[in-house]
Amino acid sequence: MKEFREEIFVMRPNLTAKAQEIMQKSIQEFGQEPDAVIGIHGRFTDYASHLKLFGFKGAGSNYYAKAIEHFRKLYKKPLFLVCSDDPGRAKMFIFSSQKGRNDVIFAGTIEDAVEKKIR
């Protein structure tokens, strides 16, 4: 286990720096210092087919709305960063219930991250 933690599953400095950059830009957009930054990964394409194999379906918009509200009750100024493989569905399932709120921000897609275009 020590080898895994210290040599294999180690955050790469360039990815850690990029994550920090995304968070700082998002905090600036939020306009205040959050007391919690919460990541939401909307997996609407690849994971959906995986769930079907086991007789399940993906989370709906009600799930995301309830989850976000849960964290709003826990923290005074939470900031939610959304990443998704399908921005259209993220808009439909996550952002549609958040109209008028500035604490839910789309950070990007996996393609954006790979192409170094994220935020």
Side-chain angles (χ1 to χ4, degrees):
M1 288 307 289
K2 183 179 179 188
E3 179 184 0
F4 279 111
R5 276 188 240 126
E6 293 178 4
E7 296 177 29
I8 298 172
F9 293 115
V10 177
M11 296 299 289
R12 290 188 275 172
N14 63 323
L15 297 179
T16 301
K18 187 63 182 172
Q20 289 296 324
E21 179 185 331
I22 291 166
M23 287 178 54
Q24 288 307 312
K25 286 180 181 179
S26 298
I27 289 168
Q28 286 176 348
E29 188 175 329
F30 184 43
Q32 58 185 319
E33 190 65 34
D35 55 352
V37 177
I38 300 155
I40 300 173
H41 183 190
R43 290 183 72 176
F44 301 111
T45 58
D46 64 332
Y47 200 62
S49 60
H50 178 73
L51 288 173
K52 283 182 185 177
L53 290 173
F54 298 98
F56 298 108
K57 61 181 182 174
S61 56
N62 194 36
Y63 171 84
Y64 290 103
K66 284 183 176 184
I68 289 168
E69 282 307 311
H70 169 77
F71 285 103
R72 283 189 182 129
K73 289 176 184 173
L74 286 177
Y75 300 100
K76 291 181 182 182
K77 298 180 293 183
L79 173 61
F80 301 91
L81 297 183
V82 178
C83 289
S84 179
D85 55 351
D86 188 333
R89 285 190 184 149
K91 192 173 194 176
M92 183 172 53
F93 285 97
I94 300 170
F95 289 95
S96 63
S97 65
Q98 306 304 314
K99 288 182 175 49
R101 303 299 298 241
N102 73 331
D103 59 351
V104 183
I105 296 173
F106 189 76
T109 66
I110 189 65
E111 288 83 14
D112 294 335
V114 169
E115 295 171 10
K116 299 183 173 139
K117 295 181 193 172
I118 199 163
R119 295 211 54 83

